[in-house]
């Protein structure tokens, strides 16, 4: 994979991610994109809330990079990349910061590495959906749009999470579940 092809793949993935996020989120997403790189570390916390706190703390100290710079960084890793995931980390009207999370082939077990060492990298675009949008005992009838920045916290997120937990509590008490 040459640098030009890698840059095109990153541009295509970015475009798909912004289109996908626009369908789910009410935010106006800027096409002025910057990037940060993160290695997927499966040893960090098992609980979603714990992972998000750690992720936010680590990402806040990173300096977002332009497409050309991130292409150079990924080019150095490319032959060892197993999985590449694009997420929107933070979005404002002026810029969108995209987190590129990657998983290395060498992070797998020795036996599995032997089966994947010559495989091309897998590319994914993902939009994280807040926990308060999950259904509580019933199917979701309508798609609600949400803030793309929900993982960064804030008053709106805390309020929606409080309402979700309260509805969950009511659901459990109506169904007769007392141990939860």
């Amino acid at each position: 994979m040459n640098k030009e092809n890698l840059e095109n793949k990153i541009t295509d993935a970015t475009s798909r991610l912004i289109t996908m996020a626009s369908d789910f989120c009410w935010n106006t997403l800027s096409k002025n994109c910057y990037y940060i790189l993160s290695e997927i570390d499966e040893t960090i916390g098992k609980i979603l809330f714990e992972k998000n706190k750690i992720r936010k703390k680590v990402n806040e100290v990173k300096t977002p990079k332009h497409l050309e710079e991130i292409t150079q960084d990924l080019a150095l890793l490319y032959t060892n990349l197993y999985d590449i995931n694009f997420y929107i980390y933070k979005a404002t009207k002026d810029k969108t910061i995209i987190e590129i999370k990657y998983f290395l082939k060498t992070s797998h077990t020795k036996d599995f590495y032997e089966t994947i060492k010559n495989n091309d990298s897998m590319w994914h675009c993902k939009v994280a959906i807040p926990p308060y949008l999950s259904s509580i005992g019933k199917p979701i009838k309508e798609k609600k749009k949400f803030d793309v920045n929900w993982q960064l916290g804030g008053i709106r997120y805390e309020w929606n999470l409080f309402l979700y937990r309260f509805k969950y509590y009511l659901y459990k008490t109506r169904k007769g579940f007392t141990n939860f």
Side-chain angles (χ1 to χ4, degrees):
M1 162 102 16
N2 63 32
K3 187 177 171 184
E4 186 177 307
N5 288 349
L6 184 58
E7 194 169 304
N8 287 339
K9 284 188 103 165
I10 294 170
T11 303
D12 290 344
T14 299
S15 178
R16 282 184 286 149
L17 177 64
I18 289 175
T19 300
M20 188 180 352
S22 296
D23 291 342
F24 290 107
C25 304
W26 52 260
N27 307 70
T28 302
L29 301 174
S30 172
K31 295 192 185 216
N32 179 24
C33 296
Y34 292 86
Y35 302 88
I36 55 176
L37 268 179
S38 302
E39 184 173 356
I40 296 172
D41 186 359
E42 294 182 341
T43 62
I44 296 176
K46 301 294 180 201
I47 302 169
L48 174 70
F49 301 107
E50 183 182 320
K51 282 183 175 184
N52 284 340
K53 282 182 184 179
I54 294 168
R55 176 180 172 238
K56 181 181 175 188
K57 189 180 282 189
V58 169
N59 285 344
E60 285 301 315
V61 297
K62 293 180 182 177
T63 303
K65 299 179 179 183
H66 291 281
L67 177 63
E68 298 80 23
E69 296 170 297
I70 212 69
T71 301
Q72 291 173 356
D73 293 347
L74 273 178
L76 296 173
L77 298 168
Y78 194 76
T79 57
N80 193 26
L81 291 175
Y82 176 68
D83 197 4
I84 305 167
N85 299 292
F86 285 69
Y87 294 91
I88 293 180
Y89 173 66
K90 187 187 291 187
T92 64
K93 291 178 185 176
D94 301 330
K95 71 178 177 180
T96 301
I97 299 175
I98 296 175
E99 181 178 16
I100 301 174
K101 294 176 110 178
Y102 63 88
F103 197 75
L104 299 173
K105 292 176 183 177
T106 53
S107 296
H108 288 287
T109 62
K110 186 178 179 182
D111 292 336
F112 190 63
Y113 173 75
E114 290 301 320
T115 63
I116 63 168
K117 66 182 177 185
N118 297 321
N119 292 3
D120 288 336
S121 302
M122 296 182 290
W123 293 67
H124 307 283
C125 297
K126 299 179 179 182
V127 177
I129 298 174
Y132 56 79
L133 286 184
S134 68
S135 62
I136 302 174
K138 55 188 169 197
I140 298 175
K141 294 179 183 170
E142 62 183 73
K143 286 185 180 179
K144 291 184 180 179
K145 291 197 172 198
F146 55 89
D147 183 5
V148 74
N149 297 311
W150 71 268
Q151 290 180 311
L152 301 176
I155 293 172
R156 178 178 289 140
Y157 168 73
E158 293 298 333
W159 175 250
N160 285 328
L161 194 59
F162 168 77
L163 289 177
Y164 171 75
R165 288 177 175 158
F166 184 69
K167 289 176 186 176
Y168 183 74
Y169 171 78
L170 290 178
Y171 171 76
K172 288 293 189 180
T173 55
R174 286 187 193 143
K175 293 291 183 182
F177 300 110
T178 54
N179 293 336
F180 50 90

